[in-house]
Amino acid sequence: MSDLRDAGMSSKAWPFEEARKVLKRYEQSKDKKGFVLFETGYGPSGLPHIGTFGEVLRTTMIRRAFEVISDVPTRLICFSDDMDGMRKVPGNVPNQEMLKENAQRPLTSVPDPFGEFESFGHHNNAMLRRFLDTFGFEYEFYSATEFYKSGQFDEVLKRAVDKYDEVMAVMLKSLRDERAASYSIFLPIHPETGRVLYVPMKSVNRDDYTITFDDEEGREWTLPVTGGNVKLQWKPDFGARWAALDVDFEMYGKDHSTNTPIYDRICEILGGKKPEHFTYELFLDSSGQKISKSSGNGLTIDEWLTYASTESLSYFMYQKPKTAKRMHFDVIPRAMDEYHQQLRAYAKQDVTQRANNPVFHIHGADVPASDMVVPFTMLLNLASVAGAEDKDQLWGYIKRYAPEALAETHPQLDAAAGYAVRYYNDFVKPEKTFRAPTEQERAAMTDLMAAFGSADLALAEIAKKNAADGLDEALPDADFTDGDFLQTVVFAVGKNHEFDNLRDWFKALYEVLLGQSEGPRFGSFAALYGVNETIDLIAKGLAGELA
């Protein structure tokens, strides 16, 4: 463990870099509370999207790194701002008219449009917790509604009254004149309509911790700021929450970054110490637009898990958090294969290398071995040429390629075969477009068929290529079950037919035989699919039976 701790203290992996900042903050704290508190915030204005999950995952990675370099206990709070008024009706949920009728009411007071939970806020909170539980996160869930109504926020709300002018001064600097004229950090909950009111204060009363205001109809009300009668505007709420909970770390998206000085200053005014922050870049949909809960664009967690493993999603989230990521279905295959590449690398690495490996930050010290003897992208192409409707069809080829592999002993591979079939049928199959070969391509494919059918012809192609390259090398053994040998044959045939760029040769194989512009390492694919089957596939492509 000491070796790993030493590696963590010098690792350039971003979770360790952030963990060291949190440790330094804790060590410099005068009043240590005996644990480090990590927090993530969630606005349940719509169904949780994958970016919300990513925030908890990445915070967990930093928490795990912290636990490597320190013995200080940790906690993680997932805080839901479910007392926020519903300002916009999400377009991806039912009962739109009912939701519109409940506009501006706290999310936990809006009826659940799905009819399953106590409120819309409770529904969205349950969805978030289900997603987080799927991934085995250790966290404590806090509801803003419960936090305000139970009195846990009362002391910081009273401080906000005492320091009202100071907090307002911070906020007013950030607002346009028109907005500043009616702004207040306090948002009263109307006693009759239950709506969150955005109205100016007539007075903020320090003697009894109440606020006085006129509602939208001009009627005057006085309410205590405590007990859930009032909530804070979202920017002051950030800083107040940090002060109330004594938060040590919180990350948020780039769209919050300009508000960081506001959050920090309000936290300090209300008696807290600003936490460490980490700002990540936003997730984008297929067209480059920011993922939004209200519009429901971008991938959902359930959608990713239909086509790939939870670990592949964690791997995707780990990569370059300060770089904007386009989250569409086409990123899944690469994430699956790269995750397993890192698993295989981990087994051979020393402790320093392991501390920098993404799979350590996904799994902690308990990193599993990969049983993926066939890459995911290869499974996709196998599903494509086989027209697979279920994973059992793929297993017929897998067992011939890797006789030792069984579904029972290779659960990752078995799950991946099922993912590949679903991914192929939903995304690859509808987009497949075959074409006929050019004359040059036809001649090359004809020779490839012959070479795949004869050891002598295969070796002759390699010898011809070597001679043209001026190489005096011994010819390899002709093994038609070996993907490397078959790839050498494919490469030699393309070289002998003098393609201007060998990429054009491989692209032709993909477009004529697979109906797509990109594809697998063709020799490895032929070894998996079977050489005779590949010969038949080429014959069909040349006969126009695929196009």
Side-chain angles (χ1 to χ4, degrees):
M1 184 65 181
S2 61
D3 289 343
L4 180 56
R5 178 163 294 184
D6 291 343
M9 289 302 292
S10 60
S11 172
K12 293 184 179 180
W14 63 263
F16 277 120
E17 291 181 338
E18 297 307 313
R20 291 195 293 269
K21 295 176 186 176
V22 177
L23 179 59
K24 182 179 179 181
R25 179 190 188 278
Y26 183 81
E27 290 175 340
Q28 293 176 345
S29 297
K30 295 179 180 179
D31 299 316
K32 294 181 174 62
K33 57 183 176 289
F35 62 92
V36 164
L37 182 63
F38 295 86
E39 185 191 44
T40 64
Y42 167 58
S45 56
L47 302 178
H49 61 57
I50 212 162
T52 309
F53 157 79
E55 195 167 289
V56 181
L57 173 72
R58 287 167 168 172
T59 302
T60 297
M61 289 176 173
I62 297 170
R63 180 189 185 188
R64 183 177 289 127
F66 181 89
E67 291 170 346
V68 168
I69 64 174
S70 173
D71 293 324
V72 177
T74 64
R75 293 170 59 194
L76 170 60
I77 288 176
C78 296
F79 196 99
S80 172
D81 189 17
D82 54 19
M83 201 169 166
D84 192 26
M86 186 178 66
R87 295 181 295 276
K88 184 178 180 182
V89 175
N92 60 340
V93 297
N95 291 309
Q96 294 277 302
E97 289 304 316
M98 179 273 290
L99 290 175
K100 290 177 183 176
E101 292 172 1
N102 283 274
Q104 297 301 331
R105 298 187 71 195
L107 291 159
T108 45
S109 298
V110 176
D112 179 15
F114 298 92
E116 299 172 356
F117 291 88
E118 181 181 340
S119 71
F120 190 34
H122 286 85
H123 177 276
N124 293 336
N125 286 341
M127 294 302 100
L128 175 67
R129 297 181 72 170
R130 178 172 67 85
F131 291 151
L132 300 182
D133 292 343
T134 297
F135 288 79
F137 291 122
E138 295 181 8
Y139 66 96
E140 302 166 47
F141 188 81
Y142 276 39
S143 159
T145 301
E146 295 176 7
F147 205 71
Y148 273 95
K149 289 185 176 181
S150 67
Q152 294 178 81
F153 219 23
D154 282 357
E155 287 306 311
V156 82
L157 286 166
K158 289 179 179 179
R159 271 180 255 152
V161 171
D162 291 335
K163 301 288 187 177
Y164 183 76
D165 293 337
E166 288 184 60
V167 178
M168 281 291 290
V170 172
M171 289 305 306
L172 292 176
K173 289 179 182 178
S174 68
L175 302 175
R176 293 188 295 269
D177 291 343
E178 182 180 353
R179 179 80 176 101
S182 61
Y183 181 85
S184 171
I185 63 171
F186 294 117
L187 300 177
I189 311 300
H190 199 288
E192 293 180 349
T193 66
R195 298 184 187 278
V196 179
L197 300 181
Y198 292 79
V199 293
M201 296 296 102
K202 297 179 76 172
S203 63
V204 175
N205 311 305
R206 294 179 177 84
D207 53 342
D208 59 359
Y209 295 107
T210 61
I211 55 172
T212 301
F213 59 93
D214 288 342
D215 66 15
E216 292 147 327
E217 296 179 356
R219 293 184 296 167
E220 184 177 279
W221 298 85
T222 296
L223 295 176
V225 296
T226 55
N229 293 287
V230 171
K231 77 176 297 291
L232 289 168
Q233 289 263 15
W234 69 273
K235 290 180 185 178
D237 187 78
F238 245 94
R241 195 168 70 233
W242 289 348
L245 295 172
D246 193 12
V247 174
D248 293 294
F249 176 89
E250 180 160 355
M251 68 164 54
Y252 37 78
K254 181 183 177 181
D255 49 347
H256 284 274
S257 60
T258 56
N259 297 320
T260 297
I262 296 174
Y263 305 153
D264 285 348
R265 183 62 190 129
I266 290 175
C267 175
E268 292 170 339
I269 291 171
L270 297 180
K273 179 182 177 182
K274 64 182 181 181
E276 288 297 321
H277 327 102
F278 181 85
T279 303
Y280 59 85
E281 266 288 357
L282 303 179
F283 294 102
L284 310 176
D285 65 11
S286 58
S287 60
Q289 299 299 309
K290 174 190 170 185
I291 288 177
S292 165
K293 289 188 291 290
S294 59
S295 61
N297 59 334
L299 276 174
T300 67
I301 300 174
D302 282 342
E303 285 171 334
W304 185 292
L305 299 187
T306 299
Y307 305 106
S309 66
T310 57
E311 295 83 5
S312 67
L313 176 55
S314 298
Y315 174 82
F316 182 85
M317 291 290 177
Y318 175 88
Q319 298 299 311
K320 299 179 179 178
K322 289 187 176 291
T323 300
K325 283 185 171 61
R326 191 180 69 87
M327 291 207 67
H328 195 53
F329 293 102
D330 56 7
V331 306
I332 289 177
R334 182 176 178 180
M336 278 284 286
D337 280 340
E338 288 186 357
Y339 164 71
H340 282 277
Q341 288 169 9
Q342 295 290 354
L343 282 185
R344 289 189 289 273
Y346 186 86
K348 303 174 184 178
Q349 291 174 335
D350 61 28
V351 66
T352 300
Q353 293 169 321
R354 287 181 169 186
N356 291 316
N357 190 319
V359 299
F360 173 81
H361 299 281
I362 294 169
H363 296 284
D366 190 20
V367 176
S370 173
D371 64 33
M372 287 284 287
V373 295
V374 179
F376 185 69
T377 48
M378 194 73 75
L379 291 174
L380 281 177
N381 286 285
L382 181 60
S384 179
V385 297
E389 296 296 330
D390 60 61
K391 65 181 179 181
D392 290 341
Q393 290 177 260
L394 298 191
W395 268 107
Y397 296 97
I398 294 169
K399 287 180 179 178
R400 183 173 58 189
Y401 177 76
E404 76 285 358
L406 298 171
E408 295 77 17
T409 58
H410 291 64
Q412 299 164 354
L413 178 60
D414 184 54
Y419 295 138
V421 170
R422 288 192 288 273
Y423 190 98
Y424 159 69
N425 280 289
D426 289 351
F427 301 110
V428 179
K429 186 176 180 179
E431 300 297 324
K432 288 171 72 72
T433 304
F434 296 89
R435 69 170 176 84
T438 65
E439 288 305 311
Q440 181 190 26
E441 293 164 355
R442 178 178 292 277
M445 290 182 194
T446 300
D447 282 353
L448 182 60
M449 287 175 60
F452 273 8
S454 164
D456 290 341
L457 291 176
L459 294 174
E461 290 286 351
I462 297 173
K464 182 179 178 182
K465 191 274 294 182
N466 288 348
D469 290 342
L471 300 175
D472 184 18
E473 295 181 350
L475 294 177
D477 293 333
D479 182 357
F480 287 101
T481 66
D482 179 44
D484 289 337
F485 173 73
L486 294 174
Q487 183 72 4
T488 301
V489 175
V490 178
F491 186 85
V493 170
K495 195 76 182 291
N496 293 336
H497 279 268
E498 299 181 351
F499 283 86
D500 292 336
N501 188 328
L502 278 178
R503 290 180 183 177
D504 295 336
W505 163 230
F506 287 98
K507 185 178 180 182
L509 290 171
Y510 305 144
E511 292 179 346
V512 174
L513 306 180
L514 301 179
Q516 56 200 53
S517 59
E518 296 180 350
R521 190 170 183 265
F522 198 81
S524 299
F525 167 75
L528 174 62
Y529 186 49
V531 171
N532 291 333
E533 287 80 0
T534 304
I535 292 172
D536 291 342
L537 180 65
I538 297 172
K540 289 179 180 178
L542 296 179
E545 296 178 22
L546 302 177

